[in-house]
Amino acid sequence: MNSFVAGVRTLGAGFGMILRSPKLLLLGAIPALISALLLLGSLGALVYFSGDLATAMTPFADGWAESLRGALRLLLALAMIGAGALLGSVTFIALTLLIGGPFYEHIAEKTEERLGLDTSGDGAGLVRELGRGVRDSLKLLLIALVGAIVLFVLGFIPVVGQIAAPVLGGLFGAWVVTMEMVGLVFQRRGLSLADRRRTLGRNRAAVLGFGLPTYLLCLVPIAQLVVIPSAVVGGTMLAHRFLGPASPPRA
């Protein structure tokens, strides 16, 4: 329980630092805004064309009674819209970090400077670190997509699915969010995505305390602009708490 509360407090500390730093808030909000506009635009297009897509996907129903054909295609259109919304909610943060990698790296560095945290790494250059960031972000984006598809399918199981899908979705979202937010420190130290997963696995309560409120707050459209940079700050703090001081690079 103490670890869970510590995770929540770390996110709160991230909010406190960002809200006291308007420049960092603006810097962190720009990629989140771009990502939100892209996803909302894509969802809007899906809503607009969902009827046509449902019709194109069900040519076998052309000979059915009008009421039955219309009901089938309406359900299919609603299912596609629901799947799109679920995919957007799960992949939003991964896409935002992919777009705004250098922005959030700068925020993480400023956090470390202000808190006197260890800023050393494994000696890799800037280009190599950026490459790591893009590679890991793409992997996490793929994981989020696969997870969203599984949760969407699970939601079709009567009764059980309607209960399990939202609960598992929140837990999965919390884990993915935390994996993303601690990544800047892990990448700088040359640690892999598997290292990140193992470290978070040893600190499940803190991960849940940090990641669950972050994920839920990111579902609120306007709040995302503040939540993402705040979570980057909090994730930087959390990563240092998990890892401790960096080992000196090998000669």
Side-chain angles (χ1 to χ4, degrees):
M1 186 64 182
N2 289 339
S3 296
F4 179 87
V5 173
V8 175
R9 287 178 176 171
T10 303
L11 177 60
F15 272 102
M17 180 173 291
I18 281 295
L19 292 175
R20 292 192 301 269
S21 308
K23 290 183 179 179
L24 292 183
L25 174 58
L26 178 61
L27 189 67
I30 292 172
L33 180 60
I34 295 172
S35 181
L37 290 174
L38 287 173
L39 289 175
L40 287 174
S42 300
L43 184 60
L46 178 60
V47 171
Y48 184 79
F49 291 108
S50 60
D52 294 336
L53 290 172
T55 300
M57 293 170 66
T58 56
F60 56 86
D62 289 342
W64 293 9
E66 184 177 351
S67 59
L68 187 58
R69 182 175 65 246
L72 172 66
R73 288 172 175 171
L74 176 61
L75 287 174
L76 182 57
L78 291 175
M80 287 189 290
I81 293 169
L86 180 61
L87 287 171
S89 68
V90 174
T91 60
F92 171 75
I93 296 177
L95 179 61
T96 300
L97 293 181
L98 182 61
I99 292 172
F103 293 79
Y104 296 123
E105 179 69 31
H106 177 75
I107 291 175
E109 290 174 355
K110 288 297 181 183
T111 299
E112 291 168 330
E113 289 176 9
R114 294 181 185 184
L115 297 178
L117 298 172
D118 183 5
T119 60
S120 56
D122 67 343
L126 177 61
V127 174
R128 190 175 175 186
E129 286 186 9
L130 287 174
R132 289 173 181 170
V134 171
R135 179 196 63 203
D136 288 349
S137 292
L138 288 173
K139 286 181 180 179
L140 281 170
L141 187 59
L142 179 60
I143 291 170
L145 286 170
V146 172
I149 293 170
V150 172
L151 290 168
F152 175 69
V153 173
L154 180 62
F156 282 99
I157 300 176
V159 184
V160 175
Q162 280 71 52
I163 297 173
V167 173
L168 293 177
L171 296 175
F172 176 70
W175 178 75
V176 171
V177 163
T178 308
M179 283 278 286
E180 291 161 342
M181 293 304 175
V182 302
L184 295 169
V185 177
F186 277 74
Q187 289 161 9
R188 190 194 308 133
R189 295 190 183 184
L191 298 173
S192 68
L193 206 59
D195 295 322
R196 210 185 308 180
R197 177 181 54 78
R198 285 191 291 267
T199 301
L200 266 58
R202 294 192 294 267
N203 298 274
R204 291 186 180 90
V207 168
L208 188 61
F210 174 83
L212 187 57
T214 302
Y215 172 72
L216 294 176
L217 286 170
C218 279
L219 299 179
V220 182
I222 301 302
Q224 297 163 346
L225 303 182
V226 180
V227 174
I228 299 294
S230 300
V232 169
V233 172
T236 301
M237 298 177 187
L238 202 64
H240 280 277
R241 182 178 302 168
F242 290 161
L243 294 174
S247 301
R250 296 178 182 177

